[in-house]
Amino acid sequence: MAASPRPARARSTSPEPPRAGRGSTPASASLSHVILTESGKVTLDGRAVWEHAFADVVPSQSLAFAGSPTGFEVLGPDAGRDRSRLGAGASFGATEDLTIRASYDGVFSDSQQNHTASVGLSVKF
C-alpha cells in the first residue's frame, strides 16, 4: 500500500481560553495534516497564538496570615504585554489500539520564555 497524503486543512481555534480577569485577547490558527502510510497513520499539527494583555501583566495577591494584623503582597512573574504561543505535534497510529505521540509548546514574550514537551503512548484494550 503506497502512502497517500491528504491535503492540509486550516482552522481557527484557541488552545487555551484567556483566563478570567487577566484581560487578554487571543488570535490563533492551527494546521493539521494526516498522512496514511503502509505501517499506520501519521498526524502532524501546528499551532500559533498571539495574545495581547489589556490588564496588568504582573499578577499580584494581597494576603495575611490568620490572626496577624500585618498583611503582605505577592507578585507573580511579568507575563509581558504581548505573547506568542507556538506548538507542534506528531502522532503515529500504528494500529486502531496503539498510538505514539510527541508535542512541543512554547510561550514567548519580551520578559520570559516557557517551553514544554511531552511524549506519550496510548494503548486501548
Side-chain angles (χ1 to χ4, degrees), residues 30 58 125:
S30 67
V58 179
F125 54 93

Side-chain angles (χ1 to χ4, degrees), residues 19-75:
R19 295 182 186 127
R22 293 287 303 263
S24 70
T25 301
S28 64
S30 67
L31 293 172
S32 181
H33 185 69
V34 176
I35 303 168
L36 300 177
T37 67
E38 291 180 15
S39 55
K41 179 173 79 170
V42 177
T43 304
L44 306 173
D45 63 84
R47 301 164 297 284
V49 178
W50 172 76
E51 295 177 327
H52 178 78
F54 292 100
D56 190 4
V57 295
V58 179
S60 64
Q61 185 72 47
S62 296
L63 304 166
F65 290 110
S68 173
T70 306
F72 59 95
E73 185 175 26
V74 177
L75 299 176

Side-chain angles (χ1 to χ4, degrees), residues 1-122:
M1 176 192 260
S4 60
R6 292 186 181 171
R9 63 179 196 263
R11 60 186 169 169
S12 177
T13 180
S14 180
E16 182 177 299
R19 295 182 186 127
R22 293 287 303 263
S24 70
T25 301
S28 64
S30 67
L31 293 172
S32 181
H33 185 69
V34 176
I35 303 168
L36 300 177
T37 67
E38 291 180 15
S39 55
K41 179 173 79 170
V42 177
T43 304
L44 306 173
D45 63 84
R47 301 164 297 284
V49 178
W50 172 76
E51 295 177 327
H52 178 78
F54 292 100
D56 190 4
V57 295
V58 179
S60 64
Q61 185 72 47
S62 296
L63 304 166
F65 290 110
S68 173
T70 306
F72 59 95
E73 185 175 26
V74 177
L75 299 176
D78 180 353
R81 179 77 50 206
D82 293 299
R83 296 177 293 279
S84 297
R85 295 178 183 266
L86 302 174
S91 66
F92 174 66
T95 68
E96 289 286 324
D97 299 328
L98 177 67
T99 304
I100 302 167
R101 65 188 178 286
S103 67
Y104 165 81
D105 287 289
V107 179
F108 307 93
S109 72
D110 288 340
S111 59
Q112 69 173 330
Q113 293 184 9
N114 183 6
H115 305 274
T116 58
S118 66
V119 294
L121 173 68
S122 297

